[in-house]
Coordinates of all heavy atoms in Angstrom, one line a residue:
M1 N -5.8 2.4 18.0 CA -5.7 1.8 16.7 C -4.6 2.6 15.8 O -4.7 3.8 15.8 CB -7.0 1.8 16.0 CG -7.0 1.2 14.6 SD -8.6 1.3 13.7 CE -9.8 0.7 15.0
P2 N -3.7 1.9 15.2 CA -2.7 2.6 14.3 C -3.4 3.4 13.2 O -4.5 3.1 12.8 CB -1.9 1.5 13.7 CG -2.2 0.3 14.4 CD -3.6 0.4 15.1
K3 N -2.7 4.5 12.8 CA -3.2 5.3 11.7 C -2.1 5.2 10.6 O -0.9 5.2 10.9 CB -3.4 6.7 12.1 CG -4.6 6.9 13.0 CD -4.8 8.4 13.2 CE -6.1 8.7 14.0 NZ -6.1 8.1 15.4
L4 N -2.6 5.1 9.3 CA -1.7 5.2 8.2 C -1.9 6.5 7.5 O -3.0 7.0 7.4 CB -2.0 4.0 7.2 CG -1.9 2.6 7.8 CD1 -2.3 1.5 6.8 CD2 -0.5 2.3 8.3
V5 N -0.8 7.0 6.9 CA -0.9 8.3 6.1 C -0.6 7.9 4.7 O 0.5 7.5 4.3 CB 0.2 9.3 6.6 CG1 0.0 10.6 5.8 CG2 0.0 9.5 8.1
F6 N -1.7 8.0 3.9 CA -1.5 7.8 2.4 C -1.2 9.2 1.8 O -2.0 10.2 2.0 CB -2.8 7.2 1.8 CG -3.0 5.8 2.3 CD1 -3.8 5.5 3.4 CD2 -2.5 4.8 1.5 CE1 -3.9 4.2 3.8 CE2 -2.6 3.4 1.9 CZ -3.4 3.1 3.0
E7 N -0.2 9.2 1.0 CA 0.3 10.5 0.4 C 0.1 10.3 -1.2 O 0.7 9.5 -1.8 CB 1.7 10.7 0.7 CG 2.2 12.1 0.1 CD 3.7 12.3 0.4 OE1 4.1 12.1 1.6 OE2 4.4 12.7 -0.5
N8 N -0.8 11.2 -1.7 CA -1.0 11.2 -3.1 C 0.2 11.9 -3.9 O 1.0 12.6 -3.3 CB -2.3 12.0 -3.4 CG -3.5 11.2 -3.0 OD1 -3.7 10.1 -3.4 ND2 -4.3 11.8 -2.0
I9 N 0.2 11.7 -5.2 CA 1.3 12.2 -6.0 C 1.3 13.8 -5.9 O 2.4 14.4 -6.0 CB 1.2 11.8 -7.4 CG1 2.4 12.1 -8.2 CG2 -0.1 12.3 -8.1 CD1 3.6 11.2 -7.9
D10 N 0.2 14.4 -5.6 CA 0.2 15.9 -5.5 C 0.5 16.4 -4.1 O 0.5 17.6 -3.8 CB -1.2 16.4 -5.9 CG -2.3 16.0 -5.0 OD1 -2.0 15.3 -4.0 OD2 -3.5 16.4 -5.2
G11 N 0.9 15.4 -3.2 CA 1.3 15.8 -1.9 C 0.2 15.8 -0.9 O 0.4 15.9 0.3
S12 N -1.0 15.7 -1.3 CA -2.2 15.7 -0.4 C -2.1 14.4 0.4 O -1.6 13.4 -0.1 CB -3.5 15.9 -1.1 OG -3.7 14.8 -2.0
E13 N -2.7 14.4 1.6 CA -2.6 13.3 2.5 C -4.0 12.8 2.9 O -5.0 13.6 3.0 CB -1.9 13.7 3.8 CG -0.4 14.0 3.6 CD 0.2 14.3 4.9 OE1 -0.5 14.5 5.9 OE2 1.4 14.5 4.9
Q14 N -4.1 11.6 3.2 CA -5.3 11.0 3.7 C -4.9 10.1 4.9 O -4.1 9.2 4.7 CB -6.1 10.2 2.7 CG -7.5 9.9 3.0 CD -8.3 9.4 1.8 OE1 -7.8 9.5 0.6 NE2 -9.4 8.8 2.0
I15 N -5.4 10.5 6.1 CA -5.0 9.7 7.3 C -6.1 8.7 7.6 O -7.3 9.1 7.7 CB -4.8 10.6 8.5 CG1 -3.6 11.6 8.2 CG2 -4.5 9.8 9.8 CD1 -3.4 12.7 9.2
V16 N -5.8 7.5 7.8 CA -6.7 6.4 7.8 C -6.6 5.5 9.0 O -5.4 5.1 9.4 CB -6.5 5.5 6.5 CG1 -7.3 4.2 6.6 CG2 -6.9 6.3 5.3
E17 N -7.7 5.2 9.7 CA -7.6 4.3 10.8 C -7.3 2.9 10.2 O -7.9 2.5 9.2 CB -9.0 4.2 11.5 CG -9.4 5.6 12.1 CD -9.1 5.7 13.5 OE1 -8.8 4.6 14.2 OE2 -9.2 6.8 14.1
A18 N -6.4 2.2 10.9 CA -5.9 0.9 10.3 C -6.0 -0.2 11.4 O -5.0 -0.4 12.2 CB -4.5 1.1 9.8
P19 N -7.0 -1.0 11.4 CA -7.1 -2.1 12.3 C -6.0 -3.1 12.2 O -5.7 -3.5 11.1 CB -8.5 -2.7 12.0 CG -9.3 -1.7 11.3 CD -8.2 -0.9 10.5
V20 N -5.4 -3.5 13.3 CA -4.3 -4.5 13.3 C -4.9 -5.8 12.7 O -6.0 -6.2 13.0 CB -3.8 -4.7 14.7 CG1 -2.8 -5.9 14.7 CG2 -3.1 -3.5 15.2
G21 N -4.1 -6.3 11.7 CA -4.5 -7.5 11.1 C -5.1 -7.3 9.7 O -5.1 -8.2 8.9
H22 N -5.6 -6.1 9.5 CA -6.1 -5.7 8.1 C -4.9 -5.6 7.2 O -3.8 -5.2 7.6 CB -6.9 -4.4 8.1 CG -8.3 -4.5 8.5 ND1 -8.8 -5.4 9.4 CD2 -9.4 -3.9 8.0 CE1 -10.1 -5.3 9.5 NE2 -10.5 -4.4 8.6
S23 N -5.1 -5.8 5.9 CA -4.1 -5.4 5.0 C -4.1 -3.9 4.8 O -5.2 -3.3 5.0 CB -4.3 -6.1 3.6 OG -5.4 -5.6 3.0
V24 N -3.0 -3.4 4.4 CA -2.9 -1.9 4.0 C -3.9 -1.6 2.9 O -4.6 -0.6 2.9 CB -1.5 -1.5 3.6 CG1 -1.4 -0.1 3.1 CG2 -0.6 -1.7 4.9
M25 N -4.0 -2.6 2.0 CA -5.0 -2.4 0.9 C -6.4 -2.2 1.4 O -7.2 -1.3 1.0 CB -4.9 -3.5 -0.1 CG -5.9 -3.5 -1.2 SD -7.6 -4.2 -0.8 CE -7.3 -5.9 -0.8
L26 N -6.8 -3.1 2.3 CA -8.2 -3.1 2.8 C -8.4 -1.8 3.5 O -9.5 -1.2 3.4 CB -8.4 -4.3 3.7 CG -9.8 -4.4 4.3 CD1 -10.9 -4.5 3.1 CD2 -9.9 -5.7 5.2
C27 N -7.5 -1.3 4.3 CA -7.6 0.0 5.0 C -7.8 1.1 4.0 O -8.7 2.0 4.2 CB -6.4 0.3 5.8 SG -6.1 -0.9 7.2
A28 N -7.1 1.1 2.9 CA -7.2 2.1 1.9 C -8.6 2.1 1.2 O -9.2 3.1 1.0 CB -6.1 2.0 0.9
V29 N -9.0 0.9 0.8 CA -10.3 0.7 0.1 C -11.4 1.2 1.0 O -12.3 1.9 0.6 CB -10.5 -0.7 -0.3 CG1 -11.9 -1.0 -0.8 CG2 -9.5 -1.1 -1.5
E30 N -11.4 0.8 2.3 CA -12.5 1.1 3.2 C -12.5 2.6 3.4 O -13.6 3.2 3.7 CB -12.3 0.4 4.5 CG -12.7 -1.1 4.4 CD -12.6 -1.9 5.7 OE1 -12.0 -1.4 6.7 OE2 -13.1 -3.0 5.7
A31 N -11.4 3.3 3.2 CA -11.4 4.8 3.4 C -11.5 5.5 2.1 O -11.3 6.7 2.1 CB -10.1 5.1 4.2
N32 N -11.8 4.8 1.0 CA -11.9 5.4 -0.3 C -10.6 6.2 -0.7 O -10.7 7.2 -1.3 CB -13.1 6.4 -0.3 CG -14.4 5.6 -0.1 OD1 -14.6 4.6 -0.7 ND2 -15.2 6.1 0.8
V33 N -9.5 5.6 -0.5 CA -8.2 6.1 -1.1 C -8.3 5.8 -2.6 O -8.2 4.6 -2.9 CB -7.0 5.5 -0.4 CG1 -5.7 5.9 -1.1 CG2 -7.0 5.9 1.1
E34 N -8.4 6.8 -3.4 CA -8.8 6.5 -4.8 C -7.7 5.8 -5.6 O -8.0 5.1 -6.5 CB -9.1 7.9 -5.5 CG -10.4 8.5 -5.0 CD -10.8 9.7 -5.8 OE1 -10.1 10.0 -6.7 OE2 -11.7 10.4 -5.3
A35 N -6.4 6.0 -5.2 CA -5.3 5.4 -6.0 C -5.1 3.9 -5.8 O -4.4 3.3 -6.5 CB -4.0 6.2 -5.7
I36 N -5.8 3.4 -4.8 CA -5.7 1.9 -4.5 C -7.0 1.3 -5.1 O -8.1 1.4 -4.5 CB -5.6 1.6 -3.0 CG1 -4.3 2.3 -2.4 CG2 -5.6 0.1 -2.8 CD1 -3.0 1.7 -3.0
L37 N -6.9 0.7 -6.2 CA -8.0 0.1 -6.9 C -8.3 -1.3 -6.4 O -9.5 -1.6 -6.2 CB -7.8 0.1 -8.4 CG -7.5 1.5 -9.0 CD1 -7.2 1.4 -10.5 CD2 -8.7 2.5 -8.8
A38 N -7.3 -2.1 -6.2 CA -7.5 -3.4 -5.7 C -8.5 -4.3 -6.5 O -9.4 -4.9 -5.9 CB -7.8 -3.4 -4.2
D39 N -8.3 -4.3 -7.8 CA -9.2 -5.0 -8.6 C -9.4 -6.5 -8.3 O -10.5 -7.0 -8.5 CB -8.8 -4.9 -10.1 CG -9.0 -3.5 -10.6 OD1 -9.8 -2.7 -10.1 OD2 -8.4 -3.1 -11.7
C40 N -8.4 -7.2 -7.8 CA -8.5 -8.6 -7.6 C -8.9 -8.9 -6.1 O -9.1 -10.1 -5.8 CB -7.2 -9.3 -7.9 SG -5.9 -9.1 -6.7
G41 N -9.2 -7.9 -5.3 CA -9.6 -8.1 -4.0 C -8.6 -8.6 -3.0 O -9.0 -9.1 -2.0
G42 N -7.3 -8.5 -3.4 CA -6.3 -9.0 -2.5 C -5.7 -10.3 -2.8 O -5.0 -10.9 -2.0
A43 N -5.9 -10.8 -4.0 CA -5.4 -12.1 -4.4 C -4.0 -12.1 -5.0 O -3.5 -13.1 -5.4 CB -6.4 -12.8 -5.4
C44 N -3.4 -10.9 -4.9 CA -2.0 -10.7 -5.5 C -2.0 -11.1 -7.0 O -1.1 -11.8 -7.4 CB -1.0 -11.5 -4.7 SG 0.7 -10.9 -4.9
S45 N -3.0 -10.7 -7.7 CA -3.0 -11.0 -9.1 C -3.4 -9.8 -10.0 O -3.7 -10.1 -11.2 CB -4.0 -12.2 -9.4 OG -5.3 -11.8 -9.0
C46 N -3.4 -8.6 -9.5 CA -3.7 -7.5 -10.4 C -2.7 -6.3 -10.3 O -2.6 -5.6 -11.3 CB -5.1 -6.9 -10.0 SG -5.2 -6.0 -8.5
A47 N -2.1 -6.2 -9.2 CA -1.1 -5.1 -9.0 C -1.7 -3.7 -9.0 O -0.9 -2.7 -9.1 CB 0.1 -5.2 -10.0
T48 N -3.0 -3.6 -8.9 CA -3.6 -2.2 -8.8 C -3.6 -1.7 -7.4 O -4.3 -0.7 -7.2 CB -5.0 -2.2 -9.5 OG1 -5.8 -3.1 -8.7 CG2 -5.0 -2.6 -10.9
C49 N -2.9 -2.3 -6.5 CA -2.8 -1.8 -5.1 C -1.4 -1.4 -4.9 O -1.0 -1.3 -3.7 CB -3.2 -2.9 -4.2 SG -2.2 -4.4 -4.2
H50 N -0.7 -1.1 -5.9 CA 0.8 -0.7 -5.8 C 0.9 0.5 -5.0 O 0.1 1.5 -5.1 CB 1.3 -0.4 -7.3 CG 2.7 0.0 -7.4 ND1 3.1 0.9 -8.4 CD2 3.8 -0.2 -6.6 CE1 4.4 1.1 -8.2 NE2 4.8 0.4 -7.1
C51 N 1.9 0.5 -4.1 CA 2.3 1.7 -3.3 C 3.7 1.7 -3.0 O 4.5 0.8 -3.4 CB 1.5 1.7 -2.0 SG 1.9 0.3 -0.9
Y52 N 4.2 2.8 -2.4 CA 5.6 2.8 -2.0 C 5.7 2.9 -0.5 O 5.1 3.7 0.2 CB 6.3 4.1 -2.6 CG 6.2 4.2 -4.1 CD1 5.5 5.2 -4.7 CD2 6.7 3.2 -4.9 CE1 5.4 5.3 -6.1 CE2 6.6 3.3 -6.3 CZ 6.0 4.3 -6.9 OH 5.9 4.4 -8.2
V53 N 6.6 2.0 0.1 CA 6.8 2.0 1.5 C 8.3 1.9 1.7 O 9.0 1.1 1.1 CB 6.1 0.8 2.2 CG1 6.3 0.9 3.7 CG2 4.7 0.8 1.8
E54 N 8.8 2.8 2.6 CA 10.3 2.7 2.9 C 10.6 1.3 3.4 O 9.8 0.7 4.1 CB 10.6 3.8 4.0 CG 10.5 5.2 3.4 CD 11.4 5.5 2.2 OE1 12.5 5.0 2.1 OE2 10.9 6.2 1.3
G55 N 11.8 0.9 3.1 CA 12.3 -0.5 3.5 C 12.3 -0.7 4.9 O 12.4 0.2 5.8
G56 N 12.3 -2.0 5.3 CA 12.5 -2.4 6.7 C 11.3 -2.4 7.5 O 11.4 -2.9 8.7
V57 N 10.2 -1.9 7.1 CA 9.0 -1.9 7.9 C 8.2 -3.3 7.8 O 7.8 -3.8 8.8 CB 8.0 -0.8 7.4 CG1 6.7 -0.8 8.2 CG2 8.7 0.6 7.5
F58 N 8.2 -3.8 6.6 CA 7.5 -5.1 6.4 C 8.5 -6.1 5.9 O 9.5 -5.8 5.5 CB 6.4 -4.9 5.2 CG 5.3 -3.9 5.5 CD1 5.4 -2.6 5.0 CD2 4.3 -4.3 6.3 CE1 4.3 -1.8 5.3 CE2 3.2 -3.4 6.6 CZ 3.3 -2.2 6.1
P59 N 8.1 -7.4 6.1 CA 9.0 -8.5 5.5 C 9.1 -8.3 4.0 O 8.3 -7.7 3.4 CB 8.2 -9.7 5.8 CG 7.2 -9.4 6.9 CD 6.9 -7.9 6.8
D60 N 10.2 -8.8 3.5 CA 10.5 -8.6 2.1 C 9.3 -9.3 1.3 O 8.7 -10.2 1.8 CB 11.8 -9.3 1.7 CG 13.0 -8.5 2.2 OD1 12.8 -7.3 2.5 OD2 14.1 -9.0 2.3
P61 N 9.1 -8.9 0.0 CA 8.1 -9.5 -0.8 C 8.4 -11.0 -1.0 O 9.5 -11.4 -1.2 CB 8.2 -8.7 -2.1 CG 8.9 -7.5 -1.9 CD 9.8 -7.8 -0.7
D62 N 7.3 -11.8 -1.0 CA 7.5 -13.2 -1.4 C 7.6 -13.3 -2.9 O 7.4 -12.3 -3.6 CB 6.4 -14.1 -0.8 CG 5.0 -13.8 -1.4 OD1 4.9 -13.2 -2.5 OD2 4.0 -14.2 -0.8
P63 N 7.9 -14.5 -3.4 CA 8.1 -14.6 -4.9 C 6.9 -14.2 -5.7 O 7.1 -13.6 -6.8 CB 8.5 -16.1 -5.1 CG 9.1 -16.5 -3.8 CD 8.3 -15.7 -2.7
I64 N 5.7 -14.4 -5.3 CA 4.5 -14.1 -6.0 C 4.4 -12.6 -6.1 O 4.1 -12.0 -7.2 CB 3.3 -14.8 -5.5 CG1 3.4 -16.3 -5.6 CG2 2.0 -14.3 -6.2 CD1 2.3 -17.0 -4.9
E65 N 4.5 -11.9 -4.9 CA 4.5 -10.4 -4.9 C 5.6 -9.8 -5.8 O 5.3 -8.9 -6.6 CB 4.6 -9.9 -3.5 CG 4.4 -8.3 -3.5 CD 4.6 -7.7 -2.1 OE1 4.7 -8.5 -1.1 OE2 4.6 -6.5 -2.0
S66 N 6.7 -10.4 -5.7 CA 7.9 -9.9 -6.6 C 7.5 -10.0 -8.0 O 7.8 -9.1 -8.8 CB 9.1 -10.6 -6.2 OG 9.6 -10.3 -4.9
Q67 N 6.9 -11.1 -8.4 CA 6.6 -11.3 -9.8 C 5.5 -10.3 -10.3 O 5.6 -9.7 -11.3 CB 6.0 -12.8 -10.0 CG 5.8 -13.1 -11.4 CD 5.3 -14.6 -11.5 OE1 5.2 -15.3 -10.5 NE2 5.1 -15.1 -12.7
M68 N 4.5 -10.1 -9.4 CA 3.5 -9.1 -9.8 C 4.0 -7.7 -9.8 O 3.6 -6.9 -10.7 CB 2.3 -9.2 -8.8 CG 1.5 -10.4 -8.9 SD 0.8 -10.7 -10.6 CE -0.2 -9.3 -10.8
L69 N 5.0 -7.4 -9.0 CA 5.6 -6.0 -9.0 C 6.3 -5.8 -10.3 O 6.4 -4.6 -10.7 CB 6.6 -5.9 -7.8 CG 5.9 -5.6 -6.5 CD1 6.9 -5.7 -5.3 CD2 5.3 -4.2 -6.4
G70 N 6.7 -6.8 -11.0 CA 7.3 -6.7 -12.3 C 6.4 -6.1 -13.3 O 6.8 -5.7 -14.4
L71 N 5.1 -6.1 -13.0 CA 4.1 -5.6 -14.0 C 3.7 -4.2 -13.8 O 3.0 -3.6 -14.6 CB 2.9 -6.5 -13.9 CG 3.0 -8.0 -14.1 CD1 1.7 -8.7 -13.9 CD2 3.6 -8.3 -15.5
V72 N 4.1 -3.6 -12.7 CA 3.6 -2.2 -12.3 C 4.4 -1.2 -13.1 O 5.5 -1.3 -13.5 CB 3.7 -1.9 -10.8 CG1 2.9 -2.9 -10.0 CG2 5.1 -1.8 -10.4
E73 N 3.7 -0.1 -13.4 CA 4.3 1.1 -13.9 C 5.0 1.8 -12.7 O 4.6 1.6 -11.6 CB 3.3 2.1 -14.5 CG 2.7 1.6 -15.8 CD 1.7 2.6 -16.3 OE1 2.0 3.8 -16.4 OE2 0.6 2.2 -16.6
D74 N 6.0 2.7 -13.0 CA 6.6 3.5 -11.9 C 7.2 2.6 -10.8 O 7.1 2.9 -9.6 CB 5.5 4.4 -11.2 CG 4.7 5.2 -12.2 OD1 5.3 5.6 -13.2 OD2 3.6 5.5 -11.9
L75 N 7.8 1.5 -11.2 CA 8.5 0.6 -10.2 C 9.6 1.3 -9.6 O 10.5 2.0 -10.2 CB 8.9 -0.7 -10.9 CG 9.5 -1.7 -10.0 CD1 8.5 -2.3 -9.0 CD2 10.2 -2.8 -10.8
K76 N 9.7 1.2 -8.2 CA 10.9 1.8 -7.5 C 11.3 0.7 -6.5 O 10.6 -0.2 -6.2 CB 10.4 3.0 -6.7 CG 10.0 4.2 -7.5 CD 9.6 5.4 -6.6 CE 9.1 6.6 -7.5 NZ 8.8 7.7 -6.6
P77 N 12.5 0.9 -5.9 CA 13.0 -0.1 -4.9 C 12.0 -0.3 -3.8 O 11.9 -1.3 -3.2 CB 14.3 0.5 -4.4 CG 14.8 1.4 -5.6 CD 13.5 1.9 -6.2
E78 N 11.3 0.8 -3.4 CA 10.3 0.7 -2.3 C 8.9 0.3 -2.7 O 8.0 0.4 -1.9 CB 10.3 2.0 -1.5 CG 9.8 3.2 -2.2 CD 10.9 4.0 -2.9 OE1 11.9 3.4 -3.4 OE2 10.8 5.2 -3.1
S79 N 8.8 -0.1 -3.9 CA 7.4 -0.6 -4.4 C 7.0 -1.8 -3.6 O 7.7 -2.7 -3.4 CB 7.5 -0.9 -5.9 OG 7.6 0.2 -6.7
R80 N 5.7 -1.8 -3.3 CA 5.0 -3.0 -2.7 C 3.6 -3.1 -3.2 O 3.0 -2.1 -3.7 CB 5.0 -2.9 -1.1 CG 6.4 -2.8 -0.5 CD 7.2 -4.1 -0.7 NE 6.6 -5.3 -0.3 CZ 6.8 -5.9 0.9 NH1 7.7 -5.4 1.7 NH2 6.2 -7.0 1.2
L81 N 3.0 -4.2 -3.0 CA 1.6 -4.4 -3.2 C 0.9 -4.3 -1.9 O 1.2 -5.2 -1.0 CB 1.3 -5.7 -3.9 CG 1.9 -5.8 -5.3 CD1 1.6 -7.2 -5.9 CD2 1.4 -4.7 -6.2
S82 N 0.0 -3.4 -1.7 CA -0.5 -3.1 -0.4 C -1.4 -4.2 0.1 O -1.6 -4.3 1.4 CB -1.3 -1.8 -0.4 OG -2.4 -1.8 -1.3
C83 N -1.9 -5.1 -0.7 CA -2.7 -6.2 -0.3 C -1.9 -7.3 0.4 O -2.4 -8.1 1.1 CB -3.5 -6.8 -1.4 SG -2.5 -7.8 -2.6
Q84 N -0.6 -7.2 0.3 CA 0.3 -8.2 0.9 C 1.0 -7.7 2.2 O 1.9 -8.3 2.8 CB 1.4 -8.6 -0.1 CG 0.9 -9.2 -1.4 CD 0.0 -10.4 -1.1 OE1 0.5 -11.4 -0.6 NE2 -1.3 -10.3 -1.5
L85 N 0.5 -6.5 2.6 CA 1.1 -5.8 3.8 C 0.1 -5.8 4.9 O -0.9 -5.2 4.8 CB 1.6 -4.4 3.5 CG 2.5 -4.3 2.2 CD1 2.7 -2.8 1.9 CD2 3.8 -5.1 2.4
D86 N 0.4 -6.5 6.0 CA -0.5 -6.5 7.2 C -0.2 -5.5 8.2 O 1.0 -5.3 8.6 CB -0.5 -7.9 7.8 CG -1.1 -9.0 6.9 OD1 -2.0 -8.6 6.1 OD2 -0.7 -10.2 7.0
V87 N -1.2 -4.8 8.7 CA -1.0 -3.8 9.7 C -0.7 -4.4 11.1 O -1.3 -5.3 11.5 CB -2.3 -2.9 9.8 CG1 -2.2 -1.9 10.9 CG2 -2.6 -2.3 8.5
T88 N 0.3 -3.7 11.7 CA 0.6 -4.1 13.1 C 0.7 -2.8 13.9 O 0.7 -1.7 13.3 CB 2.0 -4.8 13.3 OG1 3.0 -3.8 12.9 CG2 2.1 -6.0 12.4
D89 N 0.7 -2.9 15.2 CA 0.7 -1.7 16.1 C 1.9 -0.8 15.8 O 1.8 0.4 15.9 CB 0.7 -2.1 17.5 CG -0.6 -2.4 18.0 OD1 -1.6 -1.8 17.7 OD2 -0.7 -3.4 18.8
E90 N 3.0 -1.4 15.4 CA 4.2 -0.6 15.1 C 4.1 0.3 13.9 O 5.0 1.1 13.7 CB 5.4 -1.6 14.9 CG 5.9 -2.4 16.2 CD 4.9 -3.4 16.6 OE1 4.2 -4.0 15.7 OE2 4.7 -3.6 17.8
M91 N 3.1 0.1 13.2 CA 3.0 0.9 11.9 C 2.2 2.3 12.1 O 2.0 3.0 11.2 CB 2.3 0.1 10.9 CG 3.2 -0.9 10.3 SD 2.3 -2.2 9.5 CE 3.6 -3.5 9.5
D92 N 1.9 2.6 13.4 CA 1.2 3.8 13.6 C 2.0 5.0 13.0 O 3.2 5.2 13.3 CB 1.0 4.0 15.1 CG 0.1 5.2 15.4 OD1 -0.9 5.4 14.6 OD2 0.3 5.9 16.4
G93 N 1.3 5.8 12.2 CA 2.0 6.9 11.6 C 2.7 6.7 10.3 O 3.3 7.6 9.7
L94 N 2.7 5.4 9.9 CA 3.5 5.0 8.7 C 3.0 5.8 7.4 O 1.8 5.9 7.2 CB 3.4 3.5 8.4 CG 4.1 3.0 7.2 CD1 5.6 3.1 7.4 CD2 3.7 1.6 6.9
R95 N 3.9 6.3 6.6 CA 3.6 7.1 5.4 C 3.7 6.1 4.2 O 4.7 5.5 4.0 CB 4.5 8.2 5.3 CG 4.3 9.1 4.0 CD 5.1 10.4 4.1 NE 4.6 11.2 5.2 CZ 3.7 12.1 5.2 NH1 3.1 12.3 4.0 NH2 3.3 12.8 6.2
I96 N 2.6 6.1 3.5 CA 2.5 5.2 2.3 C 2.3 6.1 1.1 O 1.3 6.8 1.0 CB 1.4 4.2 2.4 CG1 1.7 3.3 3.6 CG2 1.2 3.4 1.1 CD1 0.5 2.5 4.1
K97 N 3.2 6.1 0.1 CA 3.1 7.0 -1.0 C 2.4 6.2 -2.2 O 2.6 5.0 -2.3 CB 4.5 7.5 -1.5 CG 5.1 8.4 -0.4 CD 6.4 9.0 -0.8 CE 7.0 9.9 0.2 NZ 8.2 10.6 -0.1
L98 N 1.7 7.0 -3.0 CA 0.9 6.4 -4.0 C 1.5 6.8 -5.4 O 2.0 7.9 -5.6 CB -0.5 6.8 -3.9 CG -1.2 6.4 -2.6 CD1 -2.5 7.2 -2.4 CD2 -1.3 4.9 -2.5
P99 N 1.5 5.8 -6.3 CA 2.2 6.1 -7.6 C 1.3 6.9 -8.6 O 0.1 6.9 -8.5 CB 2.3 4.7 -8.2 CG 1.3 3.9 -7.6 CD 1.0 4.5 -6.2
A100 N 2.0 7.7 -9.4 CA 1.3 8.6 -10.3 C 0.4 7.8 -11.3 O -0.6 8.3 -11.7 CB 2.4 9.4 -11.1
S101 N 0.9 6.6 -11.6 CA 0.1 5.9 -12.6 C -1.3 5.5 -12.1 O -2.2 5.1 -12.9 CB 0.8 4.6 -13.0 OG 1.1 3.8 -11.9
Q102 N -1.5 5.6 -10.8 CA -2.8 5.2 -10.2 C -3.6 6.5 -9.7 O -4.6 6.4 -9.1 CB -2.7 4.2 -9.1 CG -2.3 2.9 -9.6 CD -1.7 1.9 -8.5 OE1 -0.9 1.1 -8.8 NE2 -2.1 2.1 -7.3
G103 N -2.9 7.6 -10.0 CA -3.5 8.9 -9.4 C -4.7 9.3 -10.2 O -5.2 8.8 -11.1
Ligands
LIG1 S1 -5.3 -6.1 -4.7 FE1 -4.8 -7.2 -6.6 S2 -2.6 -7.5 -6.3 FE2 -3.2 -6.4 -4.5

């Protein structure tokens, strides 16, 4: 099973088992990653699952995700909503950084 590395703003890490097909958000919530609140449960309507992922790993955001990203604090080019990112085997070891605003 792939593992994801969640990196907090203070540099601390949490390594999480990530079943293929789960969203990155769900993996974080099940592992109690505190910075991923996911208030809407994955409906792409709260933006409290904001994270940073280097480009090219996931398909580009769809228009709804892009619109919601416009609402986040600490927006960066690599900003994504983790509820919209599905885990695949190729993501083993992927590092996901968490924004200060959710720390
Ligand atoms: S969980 Fe609400 S937008 Fe991702």
Side-chain angles (χ1 to χ4, degrees):
M1 183 183 306
K3 290 185 173 61
L4 302 176
V5 181
F6 289 92
E7 182 182 316
N8 291 301
I9 191 72
D10 66 1
S12 63
E13 294 180 351
Q14 199 167 341
I15 300 172
V16 169
E17 300 263 348
V20 171
H22 273 40
S23 70
V24 171
M25 176 278 282
L26 185 57
C27 298
V29 168
E30 289 181 345
N32 296 313
V33 174
E34 290 184 9
I36 299 293
L37 302 176
D39 288 340
C40 77
C44 201
S45 61
C46 72
T48 62
C49 64
H50 179 210
C51 65
Y52 302 119
V53 184
E54 294 301 324
V57 179
F58 296 101
D60 289 341
D62 67 17
I64 296 172
E65 183 184 354
S66 294
Q67 186 176 3
M68 290 304 298
L69 282 168
L71 303 177
V72 303
E73 293 181 46
D74 308 328
L75 184 68
K76 296 181 181 179
E78 62 269 31
S79 287
R80 297 299 302 262
L81 296 180
S82 60
C83 70
Q84 301 303 300
L85 308 176
D86 292 331
V87 174
T88 66
D89 280 321
E90 291 71 35
M91 288 163 198
D92 189 33
L94 181 69
R95 180 168 295 270
I96 298 165
K97 296 186 177 181
L98 300 168
S101 59
Q102 290 165 208

